[in-house]
Amino acid sequence: QVQLQESGPGLVKPAQTLSLTCTVSGFSITTSTYTWNWIRQPPGKGLEWMGAITNADNTYYSPTLQSRTSISRDTSRNQFTLQLSSVTPEDTAVYYCARGWGVRGTEDYWGQGTQVTVSS
């Protein structure tokens, strides 16, 4: 079975960089045609797609977050990462990683999510 697990600090101070790692098991992130996504859900709000990285290391970002977002991958560890810089309390959310099929809305496997709170 394919499993994804988010990890990283649960508390980040304003203006710092949020860094999360998604560890994938049961499936290689080097497999062709798949994308690896980060999605978040602020309290009381819907899911917000943040960005993705492909097998060719192409990256795609939400226009509202592109200037602050960086996604990368470590194929030796079967992991991909999220960095969100200059965070504010509005970035408080549950952060999910998910496997996709090359376009948004096609995610089939998700991590359980990890709560990240931005607070001083």
Side-chain angles (χ1 to χ4, degrees):
Q1 64 185 148
V2 181
Q3 292 185 312
L4 290 79
Q5 177 65 59
E6 305 89 348
S7 62
L11 179 65
V12 183
K13 292 184 176 181
Q16 294 185 339
T17 295
L18 182 160
S19 297
L20 296 174
T21 297
C22 183
T23 300
V24 180
S25 61
F27 195 88
S28 175
I29 66 170
T30 65
T31 304
S32 299
T33 76
Y34 294 95
T35 61
W36 304 94
N37 300 262
W38 287 100
I39 301 109
R40 69 180 183 180
Q41 185 171 33
K45 299 182 179 180
L47 296 170
E48 178 186 20
W49 181 82
M50 301 181 68
I53 189 166
T54 73
N55 185 60
D57 269 343
N58 296 319
T59 52
Y60 305 88
Y61 302 110
S62 168
T64 61
L65 298 171
Q66 183 272 332
S67 65
R68 299 193 292 129
T69 307
S70 179
I71 297 173
S72 60
R73 63 177 187 159
D74 184 342
T75 58
S76 68
R77 294 178 178 269
N78 215 41
Q79 297 176 329
F80 62 105
T81 62
L82 168 72
Q83 291 187 300
L84 182 67
S85 65
S86 303
V87 298
T88 73
E90 292 184 353
D91 294 311
T92 294
V94 176
Y95 285 75
Y96 299 91
C97 56
R99 188 182 78 170
W101 297 87
V103 297
R104 283 166 283 180
T106 61
E107 297 83 13
D108 56 356
Y109 288 93
W110 294 64
Q112 67 181 24
T114 186
Q115 172 70 43
V116 179
T117 299
V118 179
S119 176
S120 60

